[in-house]
Amino acid sequence: QIQLVQSGPELKKPGESVKISCKASGYTFTDYAMHWVKQAPGKGLKWMGWINTYTGKPTYADDFKGRFVFSLEASASTANLQISNLKNEDTATYFCVGGTWFAYWGQGTLVTVSS
Amino acid sequence: DVVLTQTPPTLSATIGQSVSISCRSSQSLLHSNGNTYLNWLLQRPGQPPQLLIYLVSRLESGVPNRFSGSGSGTDFTLKISGVEAEDLGVYYCVQSTHAPPWTFGGGTKLELK
């Protein structure tokens, strides 16, 4: 069956960087785009952007331009999200999402930014 | 960007009760190709969201048929015909007609009365 498995929780200090991975299985990786969604503690869902898994071209939502980078390791069926110069407001659970209609979700990766 | 407004923000229900959640869009979600790209998700506590309904009214595989979606243009409704305990959580509508960006509603929390 189709699965998206994300890397584990991270505890970081302000100004540091973090890289989250999302490994896909059960389908051809390039068949679906990969989206990233942020959920701050106790809040709703916010779309961060997506990456074309065939061409590698990323598209970022306006609020996620600059410090956020989507990348691929296509040979490993893996999508990555890197956040640099972390801020307290980056504390959130980050989900990778694939499939048409947002059908497939990773389990989420909690990133905590605290001094 | 399209703004999706969900009401009510919180919904209290008893087991077996039928309930409805509204999702109103700031602009029509009818795409020029004739499709309306409005989906519904359920996020149970501590879990990632799961897809319930896509294209307004199409039930995702494996989703119980007590869930149904309806609507057109700017007004959409998710109905649960006979709430069960496993239905508790937060419901979100999401649109992709005018993507990017994909936009989510603010969520409706379904809890037990």
Side-chain angles (χ1 to χ4, degrees), chain B residues 40-65:
Chain B
W40 289 95
L41 310 170
L42 163 61
Q43 186 175 29
R44 297 185 176 96
Q47 297 294 313
Q50 70 166 102
L51 177 66
L52 297 176
I53 286 173
Y54 62 97
L55 290 175
V56 178
S57 60
R58 300 189 186 183
L59 207 60
E60 172 70 348
S61 176
V63 174
N65 60 13

PDB file of all heavy atoms in Angstrom, chain B residues 40-65:
ATOM      1  N   TRP B  40     -12.735  17.298   1.334  1.00  0.00           N
ATOM      2  CA  TRP B  40     -12.912  17.293   2.786  1.00  0.00           C
ATOM      3  C   TRP B  40     -11.940  16.297   3.422  1.00  0.00           C
ATOM      4  O   TRP B  40     -11.759  15.190   2.915  1.00  0.00           O
ATOM      5  CB  TRP B  40     -14.338  16.894   3.156  1.00  0.00           C
ATOM      6  CG  TRP B  40     -15.372  17.917   2.835  1.00  0.00           C
ATOM      7  CD1 TRP B  40     -16.147  17.994   1.703  1.00  0.00           C
ATOM      8  CD2 TRP B  40     -15.775  19.021   3.655  1.00  0.00           C
ATOM      9  NE1 TRP B  40     -16.997  19.074   1.772  1.00  0.00           N
ATOM     10  CE2 TRP B  40     -16.795  19.725   2.959  1.00  0.00           C
ATOM     11  CE3 TRP B  40     -15.387  19.496   4.915  1.00  0.00           C
ATOM     12  CZ2 TRP B  40     -17.418  20.866   3.476  1.00  0.00           C
ATOM     13  CZ3 TRP B  40     -16.011  20.618   5.418  1.00  0.00           C
ATOM     14  CH2 TRP B  40     -17.011  21.293   4.714  1.00  0.00           C
ATOM     15  N   LEU B  41     -11.338  16.738   4.530  1.00  0.00           N
ATOM     16  CA  LEU B  41     -10.395  15.924   5.284  1.00  0.00           C
ATOM     17  C   LEU B  41     -10.870  15.801   6.722  1.00  0.00           C
ATOM     18  O   LEU B  41     -11.535  16.698   7.240  1.00  0.00           O
ATOM     19  CB  LEU B  41      -9.007  16.579   5.300  1.00  0.00           C
ATOM     20  CG  LEU B  41      -8.407  17.027   3.975  1.00  0.00           C
ATOM     21  CD1 LEU B  41      -7.147  17.868   4.232  1.00  0.00           C
ATOM     22  CD2 LEU B  41      -8.073  15.835   3.114  1.00  0.00           C
ATOM     23  N   LEU B  42     -10.470  14.703   7.376  1.00  0.00           N
ATOM     24  CA  LEU B  42     -10.704  14.526   8.810  1.00  0.00           C
ATOM     25  C   LEU B  42      -9.363  14.295   9.496  1.00  0.00           C
ATOM     26  O   LEU B  42      -8.593  13.428   9.044  1.00  0.00           O
ATOM     27  CB  LEU B  42     -11.618  13.334   9.080  1.00  0.00           C
ATOM     28  CG  LEU B  42     -11.636  12.791  10.525  1.00  0.00           C
ATOM     29  CD1 LEU B  42     -12.112  13.855  11.510  1.00  0.00           C
ATOM     30  CD2 LEU B  42     -12.486  11.528  10.623  1.00  0.00           C
ATOM     31  N   GLN B  43      -9.100  15.055  10.540  1.00  0.00           N
ATOM     32  CA  GLN B  43      -7.904  14.835  11.340  1.00  0.00           C
ATOM     33  C   GLN B  43      -8.325  14.384  12.731  1.00  0.00           C
ATOM     34  O   GLN B  43      -8.837  15.175  13.523  1.00  0.00           O
ATOM     35  CB  GLN B  43      -7.036  16.091  11.426  1.00  0.00           C
ATOM     36  CG  GLN B  43      -5.714  15.834  12.136  1.00  0.00           C
ATOM     37  CD  GLN B  43      -4.783  17.037  12.119  1.00  0.00           C
ATOM     38  OE1 GLN B  43      -5.214  18.191  12.070  1.00  0.00           O
ATOM     39  NE2 GLN B  43      -3.484  16.782  12.146  1.00  0.00           N
ATOM     40  N   ARG B  44      -8.112  13.106  13.013  1.00  0.00           N
ATOM     41  CA  ARG B  44      -8.377  12.595  14.348  1.00  0.00           C
ATOM     42  C   ARG B  44      -7.246  13.026  15.276  1.00  0.00           C
ATOM     43  O   ARG B  44      -6.139  13.319  14.825  1.00  0.00           O
ATOM     44  CB  ARG B  44      -8.492  11.071  14.323  1.00  0.00           C
ATOM     45  CG  ARG B  44      -9.656  10.557  13.476  1.00  0.00           C
ATOM     46  CD  ARG B  44      -9.790   9.048  13.595  1.00  0.00           C
ATOM     47  NE  ARG B  44     -10.952   8.551  12.863  1.00  0.00           N
ATOM     48  CZ  ARG B  44     -10.882   8.072  11.637  1.00  0.00           C
ATOM     49  NH1 ARG B  44      -9.727   8.026  11.004  1.00  0.00           N
ATOM     50  NH2 ARG B  44     -11.984   7.629  11.033  1.00  0.00           N
ATOM     51  N   PRO B  45      -7.518  13.065  16.582  1.00  0.00           N
ATOM     52  CA  PRO B  45      -6.477  13.524  17.524  1.00  0.00           C
ATOM     53  C   PRO B  45      -5.186  12.737  17.384  1.00  0.00           C
ATOM     54  O   PRO B  45      -5.183  11.501  17.378  1.00  0.00           O
ATOM     55  CB  PRO B  45      -7.136  13.283  18.890  1.00  0.00           C
ATOM     56  CG  PRO B  45      -8.599  13.361  18.619  1.00  0.00           C
ATOM     57  CD  PRO B  45      -8.805  12.777  17.247  1.00  0.00           C
ATOM     58  N   GLY B  46      -4.084  13.476  17.242  1.00  0.00           N
ATOM     59  CA  GLY B  46      -2.777  12.862  17.165  1.00  0.00           C
ATOM     60  C   GLY B  46      -2.461  12.165  15.857  1.00  0.00           C
ATOM     61  O   GLY B  46      -1.434  11.470  15.755  1.00  0.00           O
ATOM     62  N   GLN B  47      -3.305  12.336  14.868  1.00  0.00           N
ATOM     63  CA  GLN B  47      -3.124  11.668  13.581  1.00  0.00           C
ATOM     64  C   GLN B  47      -2.969  12.687  12.456  1.00  0.00           C
ATOM     65  O   GLN B  47      -3.405  13.840  12.595  1.00  0.00           O
ATOM     66  CB  GLN B  47      -4.339  10.779  13.276  1.00  0.00           C
ATOM     67  CG  GLN B  47      -4.556   9.650  14.265  1.00  0.00           C
ATOM     68  CD  GLN B  47      -3.427   8.643  14.209  1.00  0.00           C
ATOM     69  OE1 GLN B  47      -3.016   8.214  13.129  1.00  0.00           O
ATOM     70  NE2 GLN B  47      -2.916   8.271  15.370  1.00  0.00           N
ATOM     71  N   PRO B  48      -2.373  12.270  11.333  1.00  0.00           N
ATOM     72  CA  PRO B  48      -2.404  13.150  10.161  1.00  0.00           C
ATOM     73  C   PRO B  48      -3.816  13.189   9.592  1.00  0.00           C
ATOM     74  O   PRO B  48      -4.618  12.288   9.844  1.00  0.00           O
ATOM     75  CB  PRO B  48      -1.434  12.470   9.188  1.00  0.00           C
ATOM     76  CG  PRO B  48      -1.445  11.034   9.593  1.00  0.00           C
ATOM     77  CD  PRO B  48      -1.647  11.017  11.078  1.00  0.00           C
ATOM     78  N   PRO B  49      -4.122  14.221   8.835  1.00  0.00           N
ATOM     79  CA  PRO B  49      -5.437  14.251   8.174  1.00  0.00           C
ATOM     80  C   PRO B  49      -5.601  13.079   7.208  1.00  0.00           C
ATOM     81  O   PRO B  49      -4.624  12.521   6.718  1.00  0.00           O
ATOM     82  CB  PRO B  49      -5.410  15.580   7.414  1.00  0.00           C
ATOM     83  CG  PRO B  49      -4.411  16.416   8.143  1.00  0.00           C
ATOM     84  CD  PRO B  49      -3.360  15.450   8.598  1.00  0.00           C
ATOM     85  N   GLN B  50      -6.853  12.714   6.962  1.00  0.00           N
ATOM     86  CA  GLN B  50      -7.152  11.706   5.959  1.00  0.00           C
ATOM     87  C   GLN B  50      -8.221  12.260   5.015  1.00  0.00           C
ATOM     88  O   GLN B  50      -9.095  13.026   5.424  1.00  0.00           O
ATOM     89  CB  GLN B  50      -7.619  10.397   6.591  1.00  0.00           C
ATOM     90  CG  GLN B  50      -8.990  10.451   7.232  1.00  0.00           C
ATOM     91  CD  GLN B  50      -9.558   9.085   7.534  1.00  0.00           C
ATOM     92  OE1 GLN B  50      -9.544   8.637   8.680  1.00  0.00           O
ATOM     93  NE2 GLN B  50     -10.091   8.416   6.537  1.00  0.00           N
ATOM     94  N   LEU B  51      -8.117  11.869   3.762  1.00  0.00           N
ATOM     95  CA  LEU B  51      -9.071  12.316   2.752  1.00  0.00           C
ATOM     96  C   LEU B  51     -10.387  11.576   2.913  1.00  0.00           C
ATOM     97  O   LEU B  51     -10.424  10.348   2.982  1.00  0.00           O
ATOM     98  CB  LEU B  51      -8.495  12.074   1.352  1.00  0.00           C
ATOM     99  CG  LEU B  51      -9.388  12.423   0.174  1.00  0.00           C
ATOM    100  CD1 LEU B  51      -9.643  13.933   0.105  1.00  0.00           C
ATOM    101  CD2 LEU B  51      -8.751  11.926  -1.125  1.00  0.00           C
ATOM    102  N   LEU B  52     -11.475  12.328   2.961  1.00  0.00           N
ATOM    103  CA  LEU B  52     -12.808  11.730   3.027  1.00  0.00           C
ATOM    104  C   LEU B  52     -13.530  11.832   1.681  1.00  0.00           C
ATOM    105  O   LEU B  52     -14.086  10.860   1.186  1.00  0.00           O
ATOM    106  CB  LEU B  52     -13.671  12.451   4.080  1.00  0.00           C
ATOM    107  CG  LEU B  52     -13.238  12.414   5.532  1.00  0.00           C
ATOM    108  CD1 LEU B  52     -14.181  13.264   6.363  1.00  0.00           C
ATOM    109  CD2 LEU B  52     -13.186  10.981   6.045  1.00  0.00           C
ATOM    110  N   ILE B  53     -13.542  13.048   1.141  1.00  0.00           N
ATOM    111  CA  ILE B  53     -14.326  13.352  -0.057  1.00  0.00           C
ATOM    112  C   ILE B  53     -13.510  14.251  -0.967  1.00  0.00           C
ATOM    113  O   ILE B  53     -12.823  15.168  -0.498  1.00  0.00           O
ATOM    114  CB  ILE B  53     -15.650  14.032   0.351  1.00  0.00           C
ATOM    115  CG1 ILE B  53     -16.595  12.986   0.957  1.00  0.00           C
ATOM    116  CG2 ILE B  53     -16.308  14.741  -0.829  1.00  0.00           C
ATOM    117  CD1 ILE B  53     -17.852  13.551   1.538  1.00  0.00           C
ATOM    118  N   TYR B  54     -13.583  13.992  -2.259  1.00  0.00           N
ATOM    119  CA  TYR B  54     -12.921  14.835  -3.251  1.00  0.00           C
ATOM    120  C   TYR B  54     -13.913  15.238  -4.330  1.00  0.00           C
ATOM    121  O   TYR B  54     -14.971  14.608  -4.473  1.00  0.00           O
ATOM    122  CB  TYR B  54     -11.696  14.141  -3.844  1.00  0.00           C
ATOM    123  CG  TYR B  54     -11.994  12.855  -4.578  1.00  0.00           C
ATOM    124  CD1 TYR B  54     -12.128  12.833  -5.965  1.00  0.00           C
ATOM    125  CD2 TYR B  54     -12.133  11.657  -3.883  1.00  0.00           C
ATOM    126  CE1 TYR B  54     -12.396  11.660  -6.642  1.00  0.00           C
ATOM    127  CE2 TYR B  54     -12.410  10.480  -4.549  1.00  0.00           C
ATOM    128  CZ  TYR B  54     -12.539  10.488  -5.930  1.00  0.00           C
ATOM    129  OH  TYR B  54     -12.807   9.322  -6.594  1.00  0.00           O
ATOM    130  N   LEU B  55     -13.569  16.273  -5.056  1.00  0.00           N
ATOM    131  CA  LEU B  55     -14.464  16.797  -6.095  1.00  0.00           C
ATOM    132  C   LEU B  55     -15.894  16.969  -5.563  1.00  0.00           C
ATOM    133  O   LEU B  55     -16.866  16.519  -6.194  1.00  0.00           O
ATOM    134  CB  LEU B  55     -14.456  15.878  -7.328  1.00  0.00           C
ATOM    135  CG  LEU B  55     -13.180  15.858  -8.158  1.00  0.00           C
ATOM    136  CD1 LEU B  55     -13.281  14.807  -9.256  1.00  0.00           C
ATOM    137  CD2 LEU B  55     -12.881  17.216  -8.745  1.00  0.00           C
ATOM    138  N   VAL B  56     -15.995  17.580  -4.418  1.00  0.00           N
ATOM    139  CA  VAL B  56     -17.253  17.981  -3.762  1.00  0.00           C
ATOM    140  C   VAL B  56     -18.002  16.815  -3.145  1.00  0.00           C
ATOM    141  O   VAL B  56     -18.453  16.911  -1.992  1.00  0.00           O
ATOM    142  CB  VAL B  56     -18.198  18.733  -4.740  1.00  0.00           C
ATOM    143  CG1 VAL B  56     -19.518  19.096  -4.047  1.00  0.00           C
ATOM    144  CG2 VAL B  56     -17.532  19.965  -5.313  1.00  0.00           C
ATOM    145  N   SER B  57     -18.151  15.705  -3.901  1.00  0.00           N
ATOM    146  CA  SER B  57     -19.096  14.687  -3.445  1.00  0.00           C
ATOM    147  C   SER B  57     -18.634  13.253  -3.635  1.00  0.00           C
ATOM    148  O   SER B  57     -19.382  12.319  -3.342  1.00  0.00           O
ATOM    149  CB  SER B  57     -20.438  14.875  -4.183  1.00  0.00           C
ATOM    150  OG  SER B  57     -20.243  14.754  -5.579  1.00  0.00           O
ATOM    151  N   ARG B  58     -17.415  13.071  -4.117  1.00  0.00           N
ATOM    152  CA  ARG B  58     -16.947  11.706  -4.384  1.00  0.00           C
ATOM    153  C   ARG B  58     -16.269  11.141  -3.149  1.00  0.00           C
ATOM    154  O   ARG B  58     -15.299  11.704  -2.645  1.00  0.00           O
ATOM    155  CB  ARG B  58     -16.014  11.684  -5.587  1.00  0.00           C
ATOM    156  CG  ARG B  58     -16.688  12.196  -6.848  1.00  0.00           C
ATOM    157  CD  ARG B  58     -15.849  11.979  -8.065  1.00  0.00           C
ATOM    158  NE  ARG B  58     -16.444  12.602  -9.251  1.00  0.00           N
ATOM    159  CZ  ARG B  58     -15.948  12.531 -10.466  1.00  0.00           C
ATOM    160  NH1 ARG B  58     -14.837  11.842 -10.685  1.00  0.00           N
ATOM    161  NH2 ARG B  58     -16.543  13.133 -11.469  1.00  0.00           N
ATOM    162  N   LEU B  59     -16.758   9.999  -2.720  1.00  0.00           N
ATOM    163  CA  LEU B  59     -16.269   9.363  -1.511  1.00  0.00           C
ATOM    164  C   LEU B  59     -14.943   8.644  -1.795  1.00  0.00           C
ATOM    165  O   LEU B  59     -14.854   7.840  -2.729  1.00  0.00           O
ATOM    166  CB  LEU B  59     -17.306   8.351  -1.020  1.00  0.00           C
ATOM    167  CG  LEU B  59     -17.371   8.028   0.459  1.00  0.00           C
ATOM    168  CD1 LEU B  59     -17.669   9.264   1.282  1.00  0.00           C
ATOM    169  CD2 LEU B  59     -18.421   6.962   0.710  1.00  0.00           C
ATOM    170  N   GLU B  60     -13.926   8.951  -0.996  1.00  0.00           N
ATOM    171  CA  GLU B  60     -12.650   8.261  -1.116  1.00  0.00           C
ATOM    172  C   GLU B  60     -12.845   6.792  -0.765  1.00  0.00           C
ATOM    173  O   GLU B  60     -13.674   6.433   0.102  1.00  0.00           O
ATOM    174  CB  GLU B  60     -11.607   8.910  -0.199  1.00  0.00           C
ATOM    175  CG  GLU B  60     -10.285   8.185  -0.071  1.00  0.00           C
ATOM    176  CD  GLU B  60      -9.418   8.213  -1.331  1.00  0.00           C
ATOM    177  OE1 GLU B  60      -9.911   8.609  -2.402  1.00  0.00           O
ATOM    178  OE2 GLU B  60      -8.230   7.842  -1.225  1.00  0.00           O
ATOM    179  N   SER B  61     -12.073   5.933  -1.411  1.00  0.00           N
ATOM    180  CA  SER B  61     -12.163   4.500  -1.167  1.00  0.00           C
ATOM    181  C   SER B  61     -11.952   4.185   0.311  1.00  0.00           C
ATOM    182  O   SER B  61     -11.030   4.702   0.954  1.00  0.00           O
ATOM    183  CB  SER B  61     -11.101   3.783  -1.998  1.00  0.00           C
ATOM    184  OG  SER B  61     -11.104   2.407  -1.720  1.00  0.00           O
ATOM    185  N   GLY B  62     -12.833   3.347   0.861  1.00  0.00           N
ATOM    186  CA  GLY B  62     -12.694   2.937   2.250  1.00  0.00           C
ATOM    187  C   GLY B  62     -13.406   3.834   3.246  1.00  0.00           C
ATOM    188  O   GLY B  62     -13.487   3.497   4.437  1.00  0.00           O
ATOM    189  N   VAL B  63     -13.904   4.966   2.787  1.00  0.00           N
ATOM    190  CA  VAL B  63     -14.607   5.895   3.692  1.00  0.00           C
ATOM    191  C   VAL B  63     -16.070   5.474   3.792  1.00  0.00           C
ATOM    192  O   VAL B  63     -16.724   5.219   2.774  1.00  0.00           O
ATOM    193  CB  VAL B  63     -14.493   7.344   3.170  1.00  0.00           C
ATOM    194  CG1 VAL B  63     -15.350   8.295   4.016  1.00  0.00           C
ATOM    195  CG2 VAL B  63     -13.035   7.784   3.179  1.00  0.00           C
ATOM    196  N   PRO B  64     -16.592   5.382   5.017  1.00  0.00           N
ATOM    197  CA  PRO B  64     -17.979   4.935   5.182  1.00  0.00           C
ATOM    198  C   PRO B  64     -18.977   5.835   4.470  1.00  0.00           C
ATOM    199  O   PRO B  64     -18.782   7.055   4.397  1.00  0.00           O
ATOM    200  CB  PRO B  64     -18.181   4.995   6.706  1.00  0.00           C
ATOM    201  CG  PRO B  64     -16.825   4.943   7.291  1.00  0.00           C
ATOM    202  CD  PRO B  64     -15.920   5.614   6.313  1.00  0.00           C
ATOM    203  N   ASN B  65     -20.049   5.252   3.979  1.00  0.00           N
ATOM    204  CA  ASN B  65     -21.003   6.042   3.203  1.00  0.00           C
ATOM    205  C   ASN B  65     -21.950   6.870   4.078  1.00  0.00           C
ATOM    206  O   ASN B  65     -22.886   7.499   3.549  1.00  0.00           O
ATOM    207  CB  ASN B  65     -21.801   5.167   2.241  1.00  0.00           C
ATOM    208  CG  ASN B  65     -22.602   4.094   2.941  1.00  0.00           C
ATOM    209  OD1 ASN B  65     -22.759   4.122   4.164  1.00  0.00           O
ATOM    210  ND2 ASN B  65     -23.117   3.146   2.182  1.00  0.00           N
TER     211      ASN B  65
END
